[in-house]
Amino acid sequence: MKRGALLAASIAGLLASPTLAEVTVLGWPGGPEEVALRAAADTYNAKPDVADKDKVELLFFNREGFWDKLQADLAAGSKAFDLNLLATYSIGRYAPFMEPVVLSEEAKAVYGDSVLSTMQYEGKQYGVPTDLSLHFMYFRKDLIDALMKDDAAKAKYAEISEKYLGKKLEPKAPDEWTWDDYAATALYFTQAVNPDSPTRYGTVLQLKNLLFNIMIWQSVPRAYGANWMDDSGKITVNSDAYRKGLEIYKLLYDNGATPRDSLSYEFAEANAAFASGQVAAMLQWNAAAGDLTSKEKSPTVAEVTDTVAPPAGPEGRFTHIHGLGFGLNKNAENKEGAALFLKWLSSKEAALIYAKNNGAPALTPEVVAEVAEARPDLVKLGEFAGKYGYVMNGGTSAKALSVYELQAKEFTGYWSGQQSIDDALANTEKGMAELLK
């Protein structure tokens, strides 16, 4: 009843507006995404070549229960909106109720293939990627600089790496790190391992049984060649690559490189730990950059914090990416007008407007250069997405969120000591085979 009343009220509001727009867009309420979408819609509606029947009206549901409500409305054949929000990990869930879209001829040059893939399902484009999330390696540049200038510290670093990783390593600049370098650095800056460390913890891991934490972690096994399944559909998680990724986190947790209560950590807790000044490096969402480099919000670390892409493995350097975007409701009443807006929204003009108004589009170097001064954070976002971004094979399927939830349950069980790594991998393989069959 509540959902029906909310939708009825939203529709009534549209019908009561002075000019009834023909193209209704369901967006993500609150925050920078809404600000950017409103700016884009205002610009589009003001264009002299946009007919009144094709102007855009925005519609917003509540955040709570948004994705479940959207699925219910799409499945029920709702015509309350022509275009609706999409997320990479839920495209497969909504694809049966949506239609593939055609983007502008500029789209590839504006976003690049990796970013466009975040809105693809079974080889078809289902949306325009407007906001992107990926991961940065945050680090204390003052601590790293001091380490690399100190011969005694280098010797201690080599000793620690040999003891815990089985090989002597030398300190490197974070942009040159492998995952072993990251682990060695985290151990060196951990007082439980190195009493002389200037920080209590070398890193902070987000180990709560939460699907979004697995998105952060999975770039570790990905760098060793991991994927959810091969091209034939065979589940491939029970592999050396996944084992390596799990063991790195376990090594760091068991040796005190991350706080003991990290098993309850997610985004906010990890940020708080890093901002305290007692952590040397952390893998975290790009969304944390604004707070962790703000003198007002993180005065202890703001001026000494820098970011690079995640470390490399034998198969390369990778970062999980997923995006928010907009796609076409199969039951849209004005598909022609909706298609026109989507084409424009995927153009360079629209992307720059979106970027200048607090959105987070991942743009190619040539395009982001035009807003680099105002939005320096978008430079790395676009660069890392284009160079290192990936979506797991099956990562846009209808059961993608369920796969992440399964992995979170099983892998957290291993990290917390509740089950063996063999059981965690076997259980995950069996569960994924059922979910993705």
Side-chain angles (χ1 to χ4, degrees):
M1 289 296 292
K2 183 178 179 181
R3 183 180 68 81
L6 176 62
L7 185 55
S10 299
I11 296 172
L14 289 176
L15 293 174
S17 61
T19 302
L20 179 61
E22 292 294 330
V23 179
T24 304
V25 182
L26 175 64
W28 184 244
E33 298 88 356
E34 179 176 341
V35 174
L37 180 60
R38 288 191 181 279
D42 288 345
T43 300
Y44 183 76
N45 288 341
K47 295 173 73 67
D49 57 341
V50 175
D52 286 344
K53 69 180 182 64
D54 295 326
K55 291 186 184 297
V56 170
E57 185 80 25
L58 303 182
L59 174 66
F60 297 97
F61 295 162
N62 290 330
R63 280 177 180 258
E64 184 178 357
F66 181 95
W67 298 110
D68 290 336
K69 171 176 169 46
L70 175 58
Q71 183 181 25
D73 285 345
L74 286 170
S78 174
K79 297 181 179 181
F81 47 84
D82 300 297
L83 301 171
N84 57 270
L85 193 73
L86 280 177
T88 301
Y89 44 74
S90 62
I91 292 179
R93 186 178 175 185
Y94 305 135
F97 317 111
M98 302 186 70
E99 291 187 2
V101 301
V102 177
L103 306 184
S104 75
E105 294 180 355
E106 298 177 328
K108 185 174 182 178
V110 170
Y111 295 105
D113 290 332
S114 294
V115 176
L116 290 178
S117 72
T118 65
M119 291 285 115
Q120 293 172 0
Y121 177 65
E122 294 186 343
K124 297 178 181 179
Q125 192 77 36
Y126 275 87
V128 179
T130 52
D131 293 273
L132 195 81
S133 293
L134 49 67
H135 302 128
F136 290 168
M137 177 62 74
Y138 296 79
F139 66 94
R140 288 277 302 277
K141 54 188 176 182
D142 58 330
L143 300 180
I144 301 299
D145 288 346
L147 167 61
M148 295 182 69
K149 294 176 182 177
D150 188 330
D151 288 340
K154 290 180 182 178
K156 184 67 174 180
Y157 184 99
E159 176 187 321
I160 289 172
S161 65
E162 184 174 33
K163 178 178 178 180
Y164 291 92
L165 297 172
K167 52 188 173 183
K168 286 187 176 181
L169 298 173
E170 295 183 0
K172 296 178 184 176
D175 210 26
E176 300 174 3
W177 281 354
T178 65
W179 283 106
D180 280 345
D181 293 319
Y182 158 73
T185 303
L187 291 165
Y188 172 83
F189 283 110
T190 297
Q191 288 179 356
V193 173
N194 175 17
D196 295 327
S197 170
T199 55
R200 186 173 180 183
Y201 304 107
T203 193
V204 53
L205 304 177
Q206 299 176 53
L207 300 178
K208 185 177 180 178
N209 181 359
L210 182 70
L211 64 96
F212 296 107
N213 288 345
I214 296 300
M215 293 177 184
I216 297 176
W217 164 80
Q218 73 176 3
S219 293
V220 187
R222 177 70 171 185
Y224 288 86
N227 210 325
W228 283 7
M229 55 186 179
D230 61 22
D231 292 339
S232 70
K234 179 183 178 182
I235 305 302
T236 57
V237 296
N238 199 345
S239 65
D240 290 342
Y242 268 91
R243 189 176 295 271
K244 174 67 173 180
L246 289 167
E247 288 175 342
I248 287 178
Y249 264 40
K250 181 71 168 170
L251 172 71
L252 296 177
Y253 180 73
D254 286 351
N255 287 285
T258 187
R260 292 302 297 175
D261 58 348
S262 293
L263 290 167
S264 65
Y265 279 19
E266 52 181 300
F267 184 81
E269 292 81 4
N271 281 356
F274 190 90
S276 73
Q278 288 300 310
V279 174
M282 171 182 70
L283 188 66
Q284 179 62 294
W285 297 99
N286 61 290
D291 286 353
L292 296 181
T293 58
S294 167
K295 295 179 183 179
E296 291 72 30
K297 296 181 178 180
S298 304
T300 303
V301 300
E303 294 186 328
V304 293
T305 295
D306 203 352
T307 59
V308 293
E315 298 302 318
R317 197 173 185 179
F318 297 93
T319 174
H320 164 96
I321 56 174
H322 70 246
L324 295 178
F326 293 91
L328 179 61
N329 178 2
K330 184 180 289 186
N331 289 293
E333 292 192 314
N334 186 357
K335 291 184 180 179
E336 182 179 349
L340 289 173
F341 180 65
L342 283 179
K343 276 196 172 182
W344 178 80
L345 192 60
S346 60
S347 70
K348 178 180 176 181
E349 177 189 15
L352 291 176
I353 290 169
Y354 204 88
K356 291 174 182 176
N357 288 276
N358 295 325
L363 308 173
T364 58
E366 295 77 17
V367 177
V368 79
E370 298 189 29
V371 291
E373 185 174 350
R375 294 293 307 276
D377 57 309
L378 295 186
V379 177
K380 286 185 177 180
L381 181 69
E383 177 189 352
F384 295 172
K387 287 184 178 180
Y388 313 119
Y390 72 89
V391 176
M392 285 294 197
N393 188 8
T396 63
S397 68
K399 296 296 182 67
L401 287 180
S402 297
V403 169
Y404 281 118
E405 290 170 346
L406 168 68
Q407 292 183 359
K409 173 179 176 290
E410 298 297 339
F411 297 161
T412 299
Y414 165 63
W415 290 323
S416 63
Q418 300 302 305
Q419 65 177 340
S420 69
I421 192 171
D422 291 330
D423 286 344
L425 288 170
N427 293 342
T428 302
E429 180 181 43
K430 180 180 178 181
M432 286 179 65
E434 287 296 314
L435 290 168
L436 297 176
K437 63 182 178 181

